């Protein structure tokens, strides 16, 4: 994740860039760890952005993934 550059990108585009390079594991704990690292990196690259801290980025990005899963998963 440290090799990605999310500078100046909206969060949805940054997530799409990241998740387009690999398939997320099915385990929630692993997804949690990946999103935690993504949030830290994204927040560092957005000085003066709309997010107060990396936790806010984490919460929104994890929520986006869960909503997309609910939308596209038939079960």
């Amino acid at each position: 994740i440290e090799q990605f550059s999310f500078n100046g990108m909206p969060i949805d585009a940054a997530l799409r860039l990241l998740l387009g390079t690999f398939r997320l594991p099915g385990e929630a704990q692993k997804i949690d760890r990946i999103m935690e690292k993504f949030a830290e990196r994204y927040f560092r690259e957005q000085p003066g952005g709309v997010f107060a801290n990396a936790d806010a980025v984490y919460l929104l990005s994890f929520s986006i993934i869960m909503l997309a899963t609910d939308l596209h998963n038939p079960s």
Side-chain angles (χ1 to χ4, degrees), residues 1-2 18-19 22 24-25 27-41 58 61-62 65-66:
I1 291 178
E2 290 297 322
L18 175 69
L19 298 177
F22 65 95
L24 273 177
E27 223 177 294
Q29 187 177 19
K30 289 181 182 178
I31 295 171
D32 179 66
R33 184 122 168 102
I34 292 168
M35 287 300 98
E36 186 179 322
K37 293 301 174 186
F38 166 77
E40 291 170 5
R41 174 75 175 172
Y58 166 80
S61 60
F62 201 91
I65 289 174
M66 293 298 108

Side-chain angles (χ1 to χ4, degrees), residues 2-24:
E2 290 297 322
Q3 295 181 5
F4 286 93
S5 176
F6 305 120
N7 195 7
M9 296 177 83
I11 193 165
D12 62 326
L15 268 174
R16 196 172 296 119
L17 173 67
L18 175 69
L19 298 177
T21 61
F22 65 95
R23 190 175 198 285
L24 273 177

